[in-house]
Amino acid sequence: MSGTIEVIEPATEAVMAELPRAGAEEVDAAVARAKAAFPAWRDVAPGDRASLLHRLAEALEERSGDLATLEARNAGKPIGDARGEIGMVVETFRYYAGAPERLLGKTIPVAGGVDMTFREPLGVVAMIVPWNFPLTIASWKVAPALAAGNVVVLKPAELTPLSALELERIALEAGLPEGVLNVVAGPGSVCGRQLVEHPDVAKVAFTGSTEVGRGIAAGAAETIKRVTLELGGKSANLVFADADLEAAAAAAPGAVFGNAGQDCCARSRILVERSVLDEFMAALAPVVEAIAVGDPLDEATQMGPLISAGQREAVAAYVPDDAPVAIRGDVPEGEGYWYPPTVLAPVANDDRAAREEIFGPVACVIPFSGEAEAIALANDTIYGLSGSVWSGDGGRALRVARALETGVISINSNTSVRVSTPFGGFKQSGVGRELGPDALDHYTEVKNVYYATGED
Ligand code: NAD
């Protein structure tokens, strides 16, 4: 143990909890507990493992009110959003409770015998998660990993460790065996690194910045660990002149200012066809100006504070005095890491604000002329996580969706994430997929068994 973690409430800047800060020793102990629990957990009958995951989902649902309040306070997110996120956590455990009995293999025609494949668990899986959607992102990893028979060591972000620690407690109460799910709350540079280098860890599932993800991929190479990386984004929201402009303008702010812009899927580049730029901006302004920024626990709040003073400073650096601020919302005065919803327009795609992930409530509006330029601009980024296409022409919408180098696209909508569909990035937005049926592939190895039935 090395000192304590002071957990800060970003809307008030007050300390809401103090807890011991884990170090390398605690990581080693958690990995050892997980390793010891693995053989028995792997051998739990599929139906019984499913029942335990259903019980965990039930227990989380019973506690969902408290968990939502905890997450709203610690991450500074509106209480309505926090309720939705905890609802998704419950749904994620329910969805993967169906998996233990559906981890199907294949039989493959061969000479002289029978050939079959099995999906085997990996063993100890380390999970390193960020502060923007603390319990939701943890559940996307924990649920499929446990369903496939793995054991888990979960490291939450130091800024938001509380909901993960609750999950550990609730899992034990729901009947998960000791050692199957272990949480270590400590710094990434110590605990995260120790997990990445640990010889008894089979896989690292990471969500966070592209910069840290790069180091994790390099560190994991030493012991040939499996990695899933869910990294940064700079996603494009393409609005064509033939779109329902009112609907596109009404939806665009939510897609970038949700979670105060601290969302890897944020559509922070709004690409608008030049011929309708003025019309679009006129429809966008009142929506942005009406965003209710304030106390996360107030039901009317639509946007909370940023996570920390450091984050606010980093975001503000993208909006210097001479920035082309076209629209700006309001923020409360006084304590709290507030930053107003801000739209920069027009912006060139090679401006720093349009190239780098700001991870705050700042959107860039970038004009384009025609489909080919729209696609070229959207793809001119190192990232490829999400994106949207708004068009009244179904053929064009699908054509553009297929041409975009990005993992998750929506047409005439800005939603990216569903429990039952795969989520993840192209290019430097990551490796692997979470959620849906695909996640299970990333928490299992394929084993091939040949059984000779007669003479070869
Ligand atoms: P971060 O990369 O700073 O930290 C993420 C986690 O990694 C934390 O738990 C941290 O303690 C740990 N960590 C830090 N240094 C480490 C090291 N050297 N070794 C091992 N672990 C280490 O990210 P953040 O600031 O917490 O989160 C914001 C970033 O996360 C943004 O870039 C965002 O786009 C990304 N994100 C991606 C997704 C996705 O699914 N693609 C989802 C949410 C957030």
Side-chain angles (χ1 to χ4, degrees):
M1 243 15 118
S2 45
T4 54
I5 298 177
E6 277 193 344
V7 182
I8 306 288
E9 192 168 357
T12 61
E13 304 182 33
V15 176
M16 66 181 282
E18 266 187 68
L19 44 110
R21 173 183 281 127
E25 271 175 39
E26 285 72 28
V27 168
D28 288 348
V31 172
R33 280 198 304 277
K35 189 180 175 188
F38 177 53
W41 180 245
R42 178 186 50 201
D43 290 347
V44 170
D48 294 342
R49 200 151 64 222
S51 297
L52 280 166
L53 290 174
H54 273 299
R55 275 186 16 213
L56 175 51
E58 206 98 319
L60 287 164
E61 193 164 44
E62 276 163 23
R63 296 281 309 281
S64 57
D66 295 345
L67 287 167
T69 304
L70 190 67
E71 205 81 312
R73 290 183 62 201
N74 191 185
K77 57 182 75 231
I79 184 70
D81 293 0
R83 275 192 212 110
E85 287 174 31
I86 302 303
M88 187 185 201
V89 170
V90 172
E91 202 192 324
T92 303
F93 278 100
R94 290 228 162 93
Y95 178 80
Y96 287 108
E101 294 170 296
R102 292 169 180 77
L103 275 178
L104 307 178
K106 298 181 180 123
T107 55
I108 302 173
V110 290
V114 176
D115 194 279
M116 60 203 121
T117 65
F118 295 90
R119 300 219 66 109
E120 305 285 16
L122 304 167
V124 180
V125 180
M127 301 174 176
I128 301 175
V129 296
W131 44 258
N132 57 343
F133 297 101
L135 196 58
T136 315
I137 288 176
S139 74
W140 297 358
K141 302 178 190 320
V142 173
L146 293 182
N150 300 283
V151 287
V152 169
V153 179
L154 167 66
K155 195 206 84 61
E158 252 195 306
L159 292 168
T160 55
L162 300 177
S163 54
L165 289 164
E166 278 304 299
L167 172 67
E168 186 185 40
R169 273 190 281 275
I170 293 170
L172 276 177
E173 281 165 24
L176 241 73
E178 196 91 33
V180 168
L181 171 57
N182 310 273
V183 176
V184 279
S189 55
V190 179
C191 296
R193 178 172 297 190
Q194 181 79 358
L195 285 167
V196 170
E197 291 174 1
H198 204 295
D200 288 336
V201 170
K203 170 179 176 133
V204 179
F206 171 77
T207 298
S209 59
T210 294
E211 190 187 346
V212 173
R214 208 171 276 132
I216 285 180
E222 192 60 35
T223 43
I224 316 289
K225 285 184 177 53
R226 281 72 187 129
V227 282
T228 296
L229 303 174
E230 296 288 356
L231 308 176
K234 191 73 194 178
S235 298
N237 182 0
L238 281 70
V239 182
F240 285 92
D242 60 12
D244 177 342
L245 285 186
E246 283 294 325
V256 55
F257 302 134
N259 214 40
Q262 302 163 121
D263 183 340
C264 53
C265 289
R267 273 85 165 156
S268 52
R269 290 185 300 145
I270 306 174
L271 273 56
V272 183
E273 195 149 16
R274 213 175 285 277
S275 59
V276 293
L277 182 61
D278 291 345
E279 199 184 329
F280 180 82
M281 292 302 289
L284 185 68
V287 188
V288 174
E289 284 158 3
I291 294 174
V293 182
D295 177 5
L297 298 182
D298 183 337
E299 295 288 344
T301 292
Q302 293 169 299
M303 192 180 114
L306 295 178
I307 189 71
S308 64
Q311 188 68 14
R312 180 170 60 184
E313 214 173 290
V315 170
Y318 287 94
V319 190
D321 290 342
D322 61 349
V325 174
I327 312 170
R328 181 171 262 164
D330 284 329
V331 286
E333 288 181 3
E335 304 297 295
Y337 308 122
W338 309 104
Y339 195 86
T342 303
V343 178
L344 307 180
V347 174
N349 199 51
D350 52 7
D351 282 5
R352 182 170 168 248
R355 297 209 79 69
E356 297 178 14
E357 183 182 46
I358 298 177
F359 225 55
V362 179
C364 295
V365 173
I366 303 167
F368 69 84
S369 303
E371 198 175 308
E373 193 190 10
I375 293 167
L377 288 171
N379 285 340
D380 181 19
T381 166
I382 60 165
Y383 296 112
L385 189 54
S386 69
S388 305
V389 183
W390 291 79
S391 170
D393 175 343
R396 158 183 275 169
L398 262 182
R399 208 162 51 231
V400 174
R402 293 296 307 274
L404 294 181
E405 295 159 354
T406 181
V408 192
I409 306 250
S410 42
I411 295 173
N412 296 335
S413 152
N414 293 323
T415 56
S416 306
V417 180
R418 288 175 183 75
V419 171
S420 56
T421 59
F423 174 76
F426 281 25
K427 302 198 283 189
Q428 294 190 34
S429 285
V431 174
R433 289 294 177 270
E434 302 202 292
L435 298 174
D438 301 58
L440 293 162
D441 292 349
H442 298 281
Y443 290 105
T444 51
E445 290 280 19
V446 175
K447 180 183 285 170
N448 191 70
V449 175
Y450 170 73
Y451 193 147
T453 52
E455 285 173 22
D456 271 343

